[in-house]
């Protein structure tokens, strides 16, 4: 991924190629000085990006990682679903730590996560987790394992249109009133059905209108038409960096369906989520953790249940930025990475958390799947099919050395270089950056 002075207003993207938590926030933060704006185009408060600067750790959920630079715009595009309470709480927390948050811009077309969306998310997961929907293989039901933050129900309302509320609606009292009254009539009836014998929450239009209006007033200066904003920046010759939330394996169309999120997480989601044509994206940096993790339900072919898995989890601090849940851990799955790099047209790879693997005598990499007695190097984007896949591993020697201070690929231990060479060879994309520690400075470039 090249970074040079530019006068054509070209765009670049940073995309997660696994199940999220690859370290995208750190990479975006590192690259942000070269761009005028950092733009989120998908997902919601279910995403969590961590950035460590000068020993200070910043956990970002809705706010783009570029917010840590006072001269950059941090843009939340129309493809994001926004919980206004979470957004304001995050902005207030950053401001209290001395971060200039005046560059935050929220699309007037971004959809608003309402309290009834969270209630629906909770009740749906409860129903799906019940024994009524269990199978012989999965005795606890068929829940998706969402973060219960209302993301899916909000995206569903976006598609259903009539009850959807957008950020711009928070500034239009009559439009807001009409939409909330209709939404409450429909949602209250639906929630009673989902709750069955339990008591369902009852949402009152007047209370929700007052709640939403108050939040809208606080966000009024931030709410703008971001589509024209981004095109204006490009026409002025300024560069734009797109920050993907979640990751390709959680993409609603191309991930391990139905154990996915509700948005388009690949580079293909950028045009719809921002209004910027895909033809304007000149480079895509695909971020890959040196091993595999995922949160929630769904298949993880290389999952580890032994002491090695526990060691990686502890050393990598594999606990969700958003949820705090322990992440499931497995060996690196290059079948999945090759597929996701193809989806987003990755022009370079960033391999993060390589330092976490130090001290392991052998490193295993999944290079094929065994399914029904046959092997394949093609990913299976179907949760049920993938459940039956077994990993076929290629083993390489591990490395003992602490690599936290290494700043050049040639100075890495020989075994670590072999590991990176294997990734490049299998995926067919150059490793452009390597993470060797949590700090912004602990990154090998080139």
């Amino acid at each position: 991924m090249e970074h040079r002075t530019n006068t054509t207003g070209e765009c670049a993207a940073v995309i997660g190629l696994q199940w999220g938590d690859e370290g995208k926030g750190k990479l975006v933060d590192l690259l942000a000085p070269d761009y005028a704006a950092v733009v989120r185009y998908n997902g919601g408060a279910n995403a969590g990006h961590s950035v460590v600067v000068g020993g200070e750790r910043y956990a970002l959920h809705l706010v783009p990682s570029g917010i840590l630079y006072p001269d950059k715009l941090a843009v939340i595009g129309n493809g994001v679903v926004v919980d206004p309470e979470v957004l304001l709480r995050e902005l207030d927390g950053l401001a209290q730590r001395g971060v200039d948050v005046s560059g935050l811009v929220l699309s007037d077309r971004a959809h608003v996560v309402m309290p009834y969306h969270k209630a629906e998310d909770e009740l749906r997961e409860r129903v799906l987790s019940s024994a009524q929907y269990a199978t012989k293989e999965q005795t606890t039901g068929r829940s998706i394992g969402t973060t219960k933050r209302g993301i899916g129900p909000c995206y569903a309302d976006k598609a259903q249109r009539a009850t959807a509320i957008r950020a711009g609606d928070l500034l239009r009292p009559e439009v807001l009133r009409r939409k909330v009254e209709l939404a409450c009539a429909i949602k209250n009836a639906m929630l009673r059905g989902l709750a069955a014998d339990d008591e369902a929450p009852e949402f009152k239009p007047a209370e929700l209108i007052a709640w939403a209006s108050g939040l809208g007033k606080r966000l009024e200066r931030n709410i703008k038409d971001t589509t024209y904003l981004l095109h204006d920046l490009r026409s002025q010759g300024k560069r734009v960096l797109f920050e993907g939330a979640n990751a390709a394996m959680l993409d609603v169309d191309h991930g391990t369906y139905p154990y996915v999120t509700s948005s388009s997480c690949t580079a293909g989601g950028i045009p719809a989520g921002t209004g910027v044509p895909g033809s304007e994206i000149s480079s895509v940096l695909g971020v890959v953790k040196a091993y595999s993790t995922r949160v929630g339900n769904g298949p993880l072919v290389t999952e580890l249940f032994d002491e090695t898995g526990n060691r990686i989890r502890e050393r990598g601090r594999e606990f969700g930025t958003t949820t705090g849940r322990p992440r499931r851990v497995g060996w690196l799955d290059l079948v999945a990475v090759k597929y996701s790099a193809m989806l987003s047209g990755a022009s370079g790879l960033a391999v993060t958390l390589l330092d976490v693997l130090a001290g392991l005598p052998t490193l295993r990499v999944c290079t094929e799947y065994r399914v029904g007695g046959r092997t394949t190097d093609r990913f299976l984007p179907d949760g049920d099919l993938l459940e039956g896949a077994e990993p076929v591993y290629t083993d390489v020697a591990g490395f003992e050395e602490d690599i936290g201070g290494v700043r050049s690929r040639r100075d890495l231990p020989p075994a670590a270089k072999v590991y990176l060479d294997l990734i490049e060879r299998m995926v067919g994309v150059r490793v452009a950056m390597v993470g060797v520690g949590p700090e912004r400075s602990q990154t090998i470039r080139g």
Side-chain angles (χ1 to χ4, degrees):
M1 190 176 190
E2 296 182 1
H3 301 282
R4 58 188 183 279
T5 302
N6 175 69
T7 58
T8 62
E10 67 185 31
C11 305
V14 175
I15 310 290
L17 298 186
Q18 294 162 302
W19 287 268
D21 313 307
E22 299 95 347
K24 298 181 292 296
K26 174 187 172 182
L27 273 299
V28 171
D29 172 72
L30 185 66
L31 300 175
D34 295 339
Y35 297 86
V38 178
V39 187
R40 271 280 303 274
Y41 63 88
N42 75 297
N46 58 340
H49 293 174
S50 295
V51 180
V52 179
V53 183
E56 288 284 318
R57 184 181 180 87
Y58 298 88
L60 305 173
H61 302 280
L62 279 166
V63 177
S65 300
I67 197 71
L68 299 179
Y69 292 91
D71 58 337
K72 309 298 177 186
L73 292 177
V75 180
I76 299 175
N78 58 274
V80 181
V81 294
V82 176
D83 183 328
E85 277 191 331
V86 172
L87 176 58
L88 285 166
R89 188 162 59 243
E90 192 171 334
L91 290 172
D92 289 344
L94 289 167
Q96 288 170 8
R97 297 176 68 179
V99 176
D100 180 359
V101 296
S102 61
L104 191 281
V105 185
L106 170 61
S107 171
D108 57 359
R109 300 177 217 172
H111 283 248
V112 177
V113 177
M114 300 291 287
Y116 47 72
H117 290 136
K118 298 178 186 178
E120 180 182 348
D121 211 352
E122 172 77 31
L123 287 172
R124 281 182 176 274
E125 283 292 280
R126 189 187 307 172
V127 170
L128 290 171
S129 298
S130 68
Q132 178 183 359
Y133 297 101
T135 65
K136 291 180 180 179
E137 296 79 18
Q138 189 172 355
T139 57
T140 56
R142 301 291 290 178
S143 69
I144 303 301
T146 77
T147 57
K148 300 177 184 176
R149 282 165 167 74
I151 307 301
C154 186
Y155 273 116
D157 273 5
K158 178 178 180 177
Q160 291 171 346
R161 297 157 301 202
T163 55
I165 295 170
R166 305 201 292 185
D169 298 334
L170 301 181
L171 310 180
R172 301 190 293 171
E174 282 305 307
V175 173
L176 181 64
R177 179 191 59 77
R178 171 171 50 82
K179 289 189 173 184
V180 169
E181 287 178 350
L182 176 60
C184 284
I186 294 174
K187 296 296 182 181
N188 285 336
M190 181 187 65
L191 294 174
R192 286 193 295 271
L194 284 172
D197 295 333
D198 297 328
E199 185 175 346
E202 186 80 14
F203 291 97
K204 298 178 180 179
E207 293 178 359
L208 283 184
I209 291 167
W211 172 84
S213 297
L215 296 171
K217 287 178 181 176
R218 289 198 59 193
L219 289 167
E220 185 171 6
R221 70 175 187 85
N222 305 100
I223 298 173
K224 298 178 181 179
D225 184 328
T226 57
T227 300
Y228 270 110
L229 170 66
L230 296 175
H231 280 273
D232 287 344
L233 289 174
R234 289 179 52 254
S235 68
Q236 295 163 17
K238 295 181 179 178
R239 306 178 80 193
V240 175
L241 181 63
F242 296 102
E243 176 181 17
N246 311 117
M249 292 293 99
L250 298 174
D251 185 274
V252 69
D253 288 297
H254 301 291
T256 53
Y257 197 89
Y259 302 101
V260 294
T261 192
S262 302
S263 63
S264 297
C265 310
T266 70
I270 295 172
T274 66
V276 175
S279 59
E280 300 299 323
I281 303 168
S282 59
S283 59
V284 176
L285 183 68
V287 188
V288 183
K289 197 175 288 188
Y291 47 93
S292 299
T293 65
R294 81 176 292 169
V295 172
N297 297 338
L300 184 63
V301 174
T302 63
E303 188 165 7
L304 292 167
F305 301 95
D306 57 9
E307 186 52 41
T308 298
N310 290 334
R311 172 177 172 160
I312 293 172
R313 183 180 295 108
E314 291 299 324
R315 288 203 62 186
R317 291 170 295 185
E318 295 297 348
F319 302 89
T321 303
T322 299
T323 64
R325 289 185 291 183
R327 297 178 185 134
R328 298 157 59 193
V329 172
W331 293 116
L332 180 59
D333 184 345
L334 287 184
V335 179
V337 171
K338 183 177 181 180
Y339 166 77
S340 57
M342 173 186 73
L343 290 177
S344 283
S347 52
L349 299 179
V351 178
T352 62
L353 291 128
L354 183 62
D355 54 299
V356 172
L357 298 181
L360 294 173
T362 301
L363 303 179
R364 312 198 79 184
V365 177
C366 176
T367 51
E368 289 184 305
Y369 294 157
R370 184 174 292 109
V371 185
R374 303 177 122 185
T375 59
T376 179
D377 63 355
R378 294 198 166 191
F379 186 73
L380 306 173
D382 181 289
D384 292 323
L385 291 176
L386 200 59
E387 287 282 8
E390 297 177 1
V392 177
Y393 287 115
T394 296
D395 291 354
V396 297
F399 56 95
E400 292 288 337
E401 298 90 335
D402 180 354
I403 61 173
V406 176
R407 295 296 178 269
S408 170
R409 185 165 169 177
R410 65 175 175 271
D411 294 331
L412 286 168
K417 288 189 279 189
V418 168
Y419 193 70
L420 295 176
D421 290 344
L422 175 61
I423 294 172
E424 284 184 330
R425 188 167 67 253
M426 283 295 304
V427 180
V429 179
R430 181 176 69 93
V431 173
M433 306 179 82
V434 182
V436 293
E439 285 279 354
R440 176 192 287 170
S441 61
Q442 290 180 295
T443 306
I444 297 172
R445 303 179 68 166

